[in-house]
Amino acid sequence: MKTIQIGDLQVGNTQPLVFLAGPCQLETRDHAMMIAERMAAICATHGAGYVFKASYDKANRTSLNGTRGLGIEEGLRILEDVRREIGCPVVTDVHTEQQCRVAGEVADILQIPAFLSRQTDILLAAGQTGRAINIKKGQFLAPWDMERVAEKVASTGNDKIMLCERGTSFGYNTLVADMRGLPTMARTGYPVVMDATHSVQQPGGQGGSSGGQREFAPVMARAAVSLGIASVFIETHEAPDTAPSDGPNMIPLDQMDGLVGSLMQFDRLAKENPLHV
């Protein structure tokens, strides 16, 4: 099993759980700071690692009219401020080879969106930054396909790779998360991440935007953590129903303390009694 270093954190399937958590998209500097500070304190209380997550651009909104975010320049300025003032690593999405180079100057982890997970050029550009790369498994891919995806990044000499489950297409506007995929991806040796909130998304389920079943996100997180994984990706917001994107999936910020605490208990149990699949 590989362990990768991200700032002061060690991320691996046998290491204490790390949370990639924050709002779906950046809204304001103050808003980002508020969530990052709150989540960093929660994770510190429960002995969890923490990486602030937010997107400067939501390039795959359902509708042309969907709010995309602050843009790369302002977004990266905010992420840099969070990184410096809160003292935690940051992760953000990239959508083009050029964005990899620019975002790689700030972000500790570059995230490859699921729809782009087989795009060779962006995977190579991300790998060449030397940053850690979190690759979301495409909704159209089998978990064993991710070994070939990881090989593309590793061909650049960068083995700081994380493989992320975020659900598989299961009919119109519906996803299903197959928990067999987590140990399957773990066989590559790379750290495995469970995206608990996007796996309960209903893509395009509200016509002009995606729906979701946020009440099931903790179910996905608990099931995944009980298997022994490296990280959980969770989007959170103080008022999800008024968030500019992915509100139906996001967990209210005031519920995160209890969730992180319970997941860390499952994490300790899983890693004291590992499953060998």
Side-chain angles (χ1 to χ4, degrees):
M1 288 293 178
K2 297 178 176 67
T3 296
I4 63 177
Q5 192 77 30
I6 301 174
D8 294 333
L9 301 178
Q10 289 193 314
V11 182
N13 298 324
T14 61
Q15 300 297 318
L17 196 65
V18 172
F19 287 82
L20 312 182
C24 178
Q25 66 174 260
L26 289 164
E27 298 176 33
T28 66
R29 183 185 185 280
D30 287 347
H31 185 255
M33 288 291 181
M34 180 273 292
I35 292 183
E37 185 174 21
R38 183 88 170 271
M39 283 303 309
I42 289 170
C43 288
T45 296
H46 296 290
Y50 177 59
V51 179
F52 177 72
K53 177 271 157 193
S55 299
Y56 52 78
D57 180 17
K58 302 302 294 182
N60 59 351
R61 295 304 305 273
T62 301
S63 168
L64 181 62
N65 297 322
T67 303
R68 289 184 55 167
L70 300 178
I72 191 166
E73 291 186 11
E74 185 177 357
L76 289 178
R77 279 197 296 270
I78 292 173
L79 290 172
E80 192 167 26
D81 286 350
V82 168
R83 189 172 184 267
R84 182 181 62 254
E85 296 186 24
I86 305 301
C88 62
V90 298
V91 55
T92 195
D93 299 287
V94 289
H95 307 95
T96 68
E97 296 98 274
Q98 176 62 24
Q99 286 186 8
C100 291
R101 290 187 289 273
V102 176
E105 296 177 2
V106 173
D108 300 272
I109 306 172
L110 299 181
Q111 184 163 274
I112 307 297
F115 289 130
L116 299 177
S117 60
R118 279 189 56 174
Q119 296 300 108
T120 301
D121 289 343
I122 193 170
L123 291 167
L124 295 178
Q128 288 163 359
T129 67
R131 294 295 195 175
I133 312 299
N134 184 34
I135 311 169
K136 290 200 174 183
K137 180 178 72 64
Q139 301 92 328
F140 44 86
L141 292 179
W144 46 86
D145 293 331
M146 291 299 284
E147 185 173 2
R148 305 282 84 79
V149 172
E151 285 175 353
K152 294 181 180 182
V153 175
S155 74
T156 67
N158 183 351
D159 65 352
K160 293 185 288 188
I161 299 167
M162 305 158 70
L163 303 179
C164 182
E165 171 63 61
R166 54 94 71 229
T168 301
S169 294
F170 189 67
Y172 298 128
N173 305 122
T174 307
L175 299 171
V176 64
D178 182 356
M179 292 298 157
R180 295 175 298 180
L182 299 173
T184 297
M185 290 194 294
R187 288 175 185 159
T188 64
Y190 292 116
V192 171
V193 183
M194 179 65 191
D195 183 342
T197 42
H198 286 102
S199 62
V200 299
Q201 187 184 59
Q202 295 170 318
Q206 295 183 345
S209 63
S210 292
Q213 296 175 299
R214 76 168 67 100
E215 67 272 21
F216 290 113
V219 175
M220 295 297 179
R222 184 175 288 196
V225 170
S226 70
L227 299 175
I229 61 173
S231 178
V232 176
F233 177 105
I234 295 179
E235 289 186 336
T236 184
H237 195 281
E238 79 285 359
D241 292 333
T242 63
S245 60
D246 273 350
N249 318 322
M250 288 197 282
I251 295 176
L253 187 58
D254 63 9
Q255 296 179 17
M256 288 299 295
D257 182 60
L259 180 60
V260 170
S262 65
L263 291 178
M264 289 306 293
Q265 293 182 57
F266 278 94
D267 182 62
R268 284 188 286 271
L269 179 62
K271 287 163 184 171
E272 288 170 1
N273 302 275
L275 282 172
H276 302 286
V277 180

